[in-house]
Amino acid sequence: MISRQCTYGDFLKSEEKIATNILASRLQMLEESGLITKLDHPESKAKVLYKLTQKGIDLLPVMTEINLWAEKYFTISDTQQAIVAEIKKDKALFLKRGLQLLSETS
């Protein structure tokens, strides 16, 4: 699944079960690296939305290859298995659609 933007809570609910202090640190590092940006949440002043920058979007082909590699050498989650299945059907189409979706403005 490719998502254009997520809240901190969305990341906490993911199957990775990342600790809150680690999540906060990683989001800050990604923001400082220019891979994500914070936006005001349209429905809540207490929340922010995290969105990939163009620099982050440009990593999709790299992340696609990492997922294919990981599936070969490791036990991956059901979510990752579903993504890899989509990639294997037609990698070029997966990348085209993913890059298009991620590049759309919200």
Side-chain angles (χ1 to χ4, degrees), residues 5-96:
Q5 52 194 21
C6 295
T7 65
Y8 183 86
D10 293 332
F11 290 118
L12 279 180
K13 294 175 196 169
S14 70
E15 61 185 70
E16 285 84 8
K17 306 292 184 215
I18 190 167
T20 57
N21 61 325
I22 301 295
L23 176 58
S25 173
R26 296 221 176 126
L27 288 171
Q28 182 179 0
M29 184 267 310
L30 289 168
E31 187 179 13
E32 289 170 357
S33 298
L35 297 172
I36 63 172
T37 188
K38 281 197 279 191
L39 306 169
D40 292 333
H41 195 285
E43 299 169 8
S44 172
K45 292 186 186 248
K47 294 181 182 181
V48 296
L49 291 172
Y50 293 94
K51 183 175 180 177
L52 287 169
T53 62
Q54 189 59 51
K55 186 177 179 180
I57 291 168
D58 288 343
L59 283 172
L60 182 62
V62 175
M63 298 306 295
T64 298
E65 294 300 326
I66 289 172
N67 273 281
L68 290 170
W69 175 85
E71 188 251 353
K72 184 175 180 180
Y73 293 104
F74 298 98
T75 301
I76 60 174
S77 70
D78 291 343
T79 302
Q80 278 182 292
Q81 287 176 9
I83 292 168
V84 167
E86 286 299 312
I87 295 168
K88 286 182 173 182
K89 281 184 204 173
D90 188 337
K91 186 178 4 176
L93 182 61
F94 176 86
L95 288 171
K96 180 181 176 182

